[in-house]
Structure formats: C-alpha cells, structure tokens
Amino acid sequence: MTRPRVVLGVSGGIAAYKACELLRRFTESGHDVSVVPTAAALEFVGAPTWSALSGKPVSSDVWSQVHEVPHVRLGQTADLVVVAPATADLLAKAAHGLADDLLTNTLLTARCPVVLAPAMHTEMWEHPATVANVATLRSRGVIVIEPAEGRLTGADTGKGRLPDPEEIFEIARDVLGRVPTGRPVADLVGRSVVVSAGGTREKLDPVRFLGNRSSGRQGYALARAAAARGAEVTLIAANVTLPDPAGVKVVRVESTADLRDAVLSAAAAADAVVMAAAPADFRPVSTSDTKIKKAHDGSAPSITLQQNPDILKEIATHRARPGSVIVGFAAETGDDTGSVLDLARAKLTRKGCDLLVVNDVSGGAVFGSTDNEAVILGADGSAVDVPHGSKSALAHMIWDQVASRLS
Ligand code: CTP
C-alpha cells in the first residue's frame, strides 16, 4: 500500500513549534510528509528540525532543485495539504491566489483537500479582512479549522490559539479518509446537536470516587464529525483528558447528576442528542466531607449505593423538542436470555430512543481503543452494520442515520 502523501505547510507564527508534534504524529502513523515552511516560519523553527523529523530536504522558496519543478510537483502529487499554523498573512495570500514562495505555489497547484489551521491574535482573526478571506476559502471547499480559545502569545487570552496538534491530526485523518473531496456533506448546517462523552465519577470522599474506564474517544469523534458537517455542537464531557475538538462548545461535568443537568439544559434547543457517555448507574447514598480512614481492627467500610437517573430514557420519553432525534449506545455481551441483538432491541424499546448503537463486547471491551465495530438499530426496525473501522467512520455513519431522520 502506498503511503498517503501529506504536505505540511508551516507559516510564521509562534505556534510553529506545535507543528513539530503534528509532523511526528503524521510520520509515526505511516504518512509520507513533505514540510514546506515559509521564510517567516524558519525564524521560529529551523530547517534542520523539519528535515530531521520528516526525513526529507526542506525548502521554503522555489529556487532549490528547480529541475524537479517543486513549486508544481508538491501540490500536484499530494493527497492532502495541511497548513498549521496558518497566519493571517497566509490566509490572505491563499484567498487571493498569491504565489510568492513554495507554500503559496503549492496551495495553488494542489487539487487534493486542503486543511488550514489558523493561529493569530484575536483582533487579527476577527478583522473584517480575515473574516472575508476565511469565507472565500471555505466557499472554495478549503477546510478552515476554528481556532481554539485560551492563552495567546504574551499576556493575552482569547480566540486564536492553534488547536491541539492531536486534534488537527484527527481532522486531517478524517479528511484523508474522505478522498477525493475530503469534504463531508454539509447536511447538519443550521442544526444544533448535543453529544455526551466520557465516564462520570461518583464522589465517596474528598479523594475517592467510583468511576469507569470510558475514554470519551467515540463521543469526541462524534462531536468532531458533526462540526465538520456544519452543526452547532455542544459536547458534554465527563472527565475526559482529550484535547477539545475545534469549533465545538465543551461543557465539563463530573457526576451523573451534573451530566443530567447539562444534558437536559442543552437538549431543550437541540435537534439531536447522542448519549455516548458512560454514566455511572449507581452513586453512594452518602458522601463523606472528610477522608474515610482505615479502621484499626482491619474491617472495611461498606458502601451503600442508590441508582442514578437514566438520562437517555428521560430525554427520549419527555422530548424537549418534538421531532428531535435521540441516540443511545449499548455495550452488550448476550446471555442466556437472548443474543446481543435481542437484548439491544429490548433496550432500544425500554429507553424509547430513535437509534441505538450496539457494540458487541463479548470479545473484550472497546474502552480506550481507537477503532470500533457496531450495529446501528433504529426504532423503525432498521439495522445498519458498521464494519470494523475508526471511531470517526462510525461517527459519520451515526450522523448519516440522524440526518436522514431529521430531513
Ligand atoms: N445512560 C444514561 N443514563 C444512565 C445510564 C446510561 O443516559 N444513568 C445511557 C448511556 O449514555 C448509553 C445508554 O444509556 O447511551 C446505555 O446504557 P446502559 O448502561 O447500557 O443501559 P442500562 O439501562 O443500564 O442497561 P444494563 O441493564 O445493560 O446496564
């Protein structure tokens, strides 16, 4: 199998150092990467670093190895061009078709998907010139990732941070999986969706909790995929350590009670709610404000549990918004009362949701893994098999089902 060819453009912003991490992720996962820094990017990170990490010579102008016509060849042969960071200047040049160095020439010759990850001060991002340039680029099919909010260079904070390299990498992989256009359908534009992710924690005392191993990866893939399809996304994250998906509103919660409050409040205005979180089914009847000490006689305390509310059932049976689509997840093993699909069908009816994404976990749990395999059951009797693949691929198949029910 040929390795996907990625051109990693780097323009001149302080976040250029984060592109080293992005480059490492690409090369370690088997991509063939050519780095094209601008002259300004080389002021921040030198050519030897890019060359050593990519295993290739690096140039920023069109005058090296002219016989190989690099200003045309790189763009023509790439499967994906990613520019991270993309400065206001780079966005302006790309929007207007300027070509005064190797990176801007490559952008003009590329016919593959292009992903730009802007990073700049908030004022520059919000300037009407940049806003217009981003709109022009997006109208041409370029994927411009929303910058993150947070600490900028110096003492400033605001919108304009480069999204975490892991997040840019996930978006790039998602786009590469959708060649030739790289663009998912924009079928969720104007829709508001809520996704829950992660595992809740139920407090026992100030230092202990009951929890589970849910990593949040499937929920984060769902949020990223919905944002890529044009939705306004609220991601309710229970104890997840992954970087925030770009362009998504993240609400952090800890316990099942917190999760319930956040989901009920967001569901009121949502067209779809996907409950990918693993809420703890039980919580301690009482929690201690002070640390529970060991008894000197060697005895262990007993913990009495009570059941938590079933959030999925609640939002499915009392719909805040008529016509909204409610999606649940179920991990099943099957037992002597029925097969995985029998138990899942019964759960779908019990919960009252429209779709139930069923993972067969009889061969071991899927927690923390990057891949998934599932069946999407519909309350209308449908069953869609999702072959083994990435959590991002499963996320898109779930949104396909949601979008067809919304329309
Ligand atoms: N869920 C929820 N609130 C809970 C527990 C679960 O909203 N308190 C949601 C999960 O987010 C998931 C679905 O319900 O979408 C699956 O829940 P699961 O725990 O498998 O269902 P249970 O009814 O607890 O079934 P089981 O008897 O198999 O544990």
Side-chain angles (χ1 to χ4, degrees), residues 5-9 26 74-76 78-84 86 90-91 94-95 103-118 134 137-145 168 171-176 178-184:
R5 280 180 304 261
V6 176
V7 171
L8 174 60
F26 275 124
L74 273 172
Q76 281 176 338
D79 296 308
L80 176 70
V81 178
V82 181
V83 184
L90 188 280
L91 295 176
L103 178 55
T104 45
N105 273 276
T106 301
L107 286 168
L108 272 189
T109 50
R111 293 295 174 268
C112 59
V114 174
V115 174
L116 305 180
V134 168
L137 289 162
R138 284 184 173 149
S139 73
R140 292 190 197 128
V142 173
I143 296 150
V144 183
I145 304 176
I168 301 172
I171 292 172
R173 256 209 333 192
D174 192 19
V175 171
L176 265 175
R178 294 179 166 264
V179 168
T181 68
R183 257 171 296 148

Side-chain angles (χ1 to χ4, degrees), residues 96-176:
H96 293 276
L98 300 188
D100 59 358
D101 63 5
L102 188 55
L103 178 55
T104 45
N105 273 276
T106 301
L107 286 168
L108 272 189
T109 50
R111 293 295 174 268
C112 59
V114 174
V115 174
L116 305 180
M120 63 196 73
H121 276 269
T122 312
E123 291 85 347
M124 297 170 103
W125 175 249
E126 290 176 349
H127 192 283
T130 307
V131 171
N133 291 332
V134 168
T136 301
L137 289 162
R138 284 184 173 149
S139 73
R140 292 190 197 128
V142 173
I143 296 150
V144 183
I145 304 176
E146 282 295 307
E149 286 189 35
R151 184 82 192 265
L152 304 169
T153 326
D156 304 8
T157 56
K159 190 162 183 176
R161 265 172 79 89
L162 187 74
D164 196 279
E166 184 179 344
E167 181 55 27
I168 301 172
F169 174 71
E170 289 299 337
I171 292 172
R173 256 209 333 192
D174 192 19
V175 171
L176 265 175

Side-chain angles (χ1 to χ4, degrees), residues 196 256 259 274-281 308-313 327-332 347 350-351 356:
S196 70
T256 299
L259 179 67
V274 183
M275 285 294 296
D281 283 325
N308 271 327
D310 188 325
I311 306 165
L312 176 62
K313 190 170 179 180
V327 186
F329 271 73
E332 302 287 351
K347 185 173 284 185
R350 202 165 61 239
K351 301 260 188 183
L356 190 73

Side-chain angles (χ1 to χ4, degrees), residues 107-384:
L107 286 168
L108 272 189
T109 50
R111 293 295 174 268
C112 59
V114 174
V115 174
L116 305 180
M120 63 196 73
H121 276 269
T122 312
E123 291 85 347
M124 297 170 103
W125 175 249
E126 290 176 349
H127 192 283
T130 307
V131 171
N133 291 332
V134 168
T136 301
L137 289 162
R138 284 184 173 149
S139 73
R140 292 190 197 128
V142 173
I143 296 150
V144 183
I145 304 176
E146 282 295 307
E149 286 189 35
R151 184 82 192 265
L152 304 169
T153 326
D156 304 8
T157 56
K159 190 162 183 176
R161 265 172 79 89
L162 187 74
D164 196 279
E166 184 179 344
E167 181 55 27
I168 301 172
F169 174 71
E170 289 299 337
I171 292 172
R173 256 209 333 192
D174 192 19
V175 171
L176 265 175
R178 294 179 166 264
V179 168
T181 68
R183 257 171 296 148
V185 278
D187 54 1
L188 295 176
V189 172
R191 300 292 189 181
S192 159
V193 307
V194 176
V195 178
S196 70
T200 62
R201 291 179 179 176
E202 303 299 335
K203 187 178 158 188
L204 281 169
D205 72 10
V207 294
R208 301 184 181 93
F209 58 82
L210 298 174
N212 63 67
R213 289 181 192 275
S214 176
S215 68
R217 285 186 193 284
Q218 185 61 63
Y220 273 52
L222 278 155
R224 194 181 299 116
R229 295 166 83 129
E232 189 186 302
V233 186
T234 303
L235 173 61
I236 302 170
N239 311 297
V240 181
T241 53
L242 301 169
D244 289 355
V248 162
K249 179 182 170 198
V250 182
V251 178
R252 293 186 194 287
V253 296
E254 186 165 336
S255 66
T256 299
D258 300 340
L259 179 67
R260 177 176 172 272
D261 289 347
V263 169
L264 292 187
S265 141
D271 295 295
V273 182
V274 183
M275 285 294 296
D281 283 325
F282 309 102
R283 67 179 184 281
V285 167
S286 61
T287 60
S288 172
D289 290 336
T290 53
K291 190 179 167 197
I292 301 167
K293 293 290 197 185
K294 283 197 291 288
H296 295 298
D297 63 2
S299 65
S302 46
I303 300 161
T304 311
L305 300 174
Q306 63 185 323
Q307 229 181 65
N308 271 327
D310 188 325
I311 306 165
L312 176 62
K313 190 170 179 180
E314 191 172 346
I315 56 169
T317 46
H318 306 285
R319 307 237 174 180
R321 195 156 179 181
S324 57
V325 177
I326 310 289
V327 186
F329 271 73
E332 302 287 351
T333 58
D335 58 24
D336 50 13
T337 65
S339 68
V340 167
L341 284 186
D342 293 338
L343 297 183
R345 277 256 166 246
K347 185 173 284 185
L348 179 105
T349 311
R350 202 165 61 239
K351 301 260 188 183
C353 50
D354 303 292
L355 294 164
L356 190 73
V357 184
V358 187
N359 290 124
D360 179 348
V361 289
S362 42
V366 287
F367 289 149
S369 84
T370 50
D371 284 358
N372 221 341
E373 184 177 341
V375 180
I376 307 172
L377 296 182
D380 53 8
S382 63
V384 176

